[in-house]
Amino acid sequence: MSSELRAVTPQSILQARERIAPFIRHTPLEPSAALSARTGGRVFLKLECLQVTGSFKPRISFNKLLSVDASTRARGVVASTAGGHGIGLAHAGRRLGVPVELFLPHTADARKVEVMRRDGARLHFHDSVPAAREAARAHAREHQRLFVSAYNDPDIIAGGGTVGLEVLDDLPEVDLAVVGIGGGGLISGMGVAMKARNPRMQLWGVQPEVSPVLAGWMRHGRPVPVESRQSIADGLGAQPEPDTLTLPLACEYVDRVLLVSEEDLRDAMAWLLEEHQLVVEPSGAATVAALLRHPPEGFRHIAVVITGRNISRARYVQLLGERLTATPT
């Protein structure tokens, strides 16, 4: 096991929790009567959509920025993002006085772009997520600034693991946690944190059917070619680096990966609005989409992570269309 993998430990996640505590919220674990009725177990929604900035991302951003020395922070940081990572990093940078430059695709959600700009980040736009990432890395090298990955970093993974610690605080008997997978940082960190306390619990991941890169790699135990198209769940559409730290961690800690269709994602967004009065972006609704399509059996205490709510009104209405006025079934 590499030294970087060994750096992601239950202790490093506890340290991350203490480090970021002044800047983030302990988010609610809300019971879902409707999902409980479907599964036969007690289902709870971990509402990271109610985190500061509207997603779990500030956990990872604050942990990374607070883990590096003051001179590194003073030079500023660089990242590529489809939106959510940039919002978290821009917010953390503003709170800590760290200059932030973000590289995005032109297709990034308009509201996410406005939030990043409002928090003082300098924005650069490119034709695609891969092009933005390549440009961000080149810019960081040229200007000797820290590149902050959304997932491929021990400090980032540890920050995500703090979500798992909160679930254990509020539901110590949890026997299944369901988490969306993009680059795999959140689910890897949660796996390290939660299975240290309860090795018998299960951890299920969710990816879009059209963009199942990490799921395909996990199935083979190594990076392999995986056909991938753009999903409406842009936060789950990562194209990970072949050497990402999250692959071996996910192979070790994740018990199953469920795939959901684009229509499943839209249905789950509408379901969350109807049943829980929550406006959630497609990536945040993926876990509920998975439970609606594949109700788990044999579990008594289920935690479902709702990762984010950052979506413009126009895009929300465009994605849901007639679902907003249809009679619930």
Side-chain angles (χ1 to χ4, degrees), residues 72 75-80 89 99-103 122 124 126 131-149:
T72 299
R75 287 195 299 272
V77 298
V78 177
S80 60
L89 193 59
V100 174
E101 291 195 64
L102 300 171
F103 290 70
R122 184 180 177 188
H124 307 266
H126 295 269
R133 180 164 62 190
E134 182 178 342
R137 287 191 178 279
H139 186 83
R141 287 192 300 270
E142 179 182 352
H143 296 278
Q144 296 185 316
R145 294 173 184 164
L146 178 68
F147 177 82
V148 180
S149 171

Side-chain angles (χ1 to χ4, degrees), residues 249-262:
L249 288 169
C251 287
E252 180 175 356
Y253 290 103
V254 178
D255 298 283
R256 183 179 180 187
V257 178
L258 304 174
L259 301 181
V260 293
S261 71
E262 303 297 279

Side-chain angles (χ1 to χ4, degrees), residues 20-99:
I20 68 178
F23 303 101
I24 62 104
R25 298 171 183 153
H26 183 125
T27 53
L29 197 64
E30 179 175 302
S32 175
L35 281 177
S36 297
R38 282 175 176 259
T39 64
R42 297 169 66 223
V43 179
F44 298 83
L45 305 182
K46 177 59 172 168
L47 297 180
E48 282 297 292
C49 55
L50 301 184
Q51 186 55 262
V52 294
T53 78
S55 88
F56 78 95
K57 295 292 188 176
R59 295 178 184 270
I60 68 176
S61 299
F62 276 112
N63 195 48
K64 185 59 188 178
L65 295 186
L66 292 168
S67 297
V68 301
D69 58 73
S71 62
T72 299
R73 291 199 295 269
R75 287 195 299 272
V77 298
V78 177
S80 60
T81 177
H85 179 45
I87 289 175
L89 193 59
H91 173 77
R94 180 176 60 80
R95 288 290 306 274
L96 299 175
V98 178

Side-chain angles (χ1 to χ4, degrees), residues 12 14-23 62-63 66-67 155:
S12 73
L14 288 169
Q15 291 168 346
R17 181 182 196 171
E18 182 177 354
R19 190 178 290 125
I20 68 178
F23 303 101
F62 276 112
N63 195 48
L66 292 168
S67 297
D155 297 323

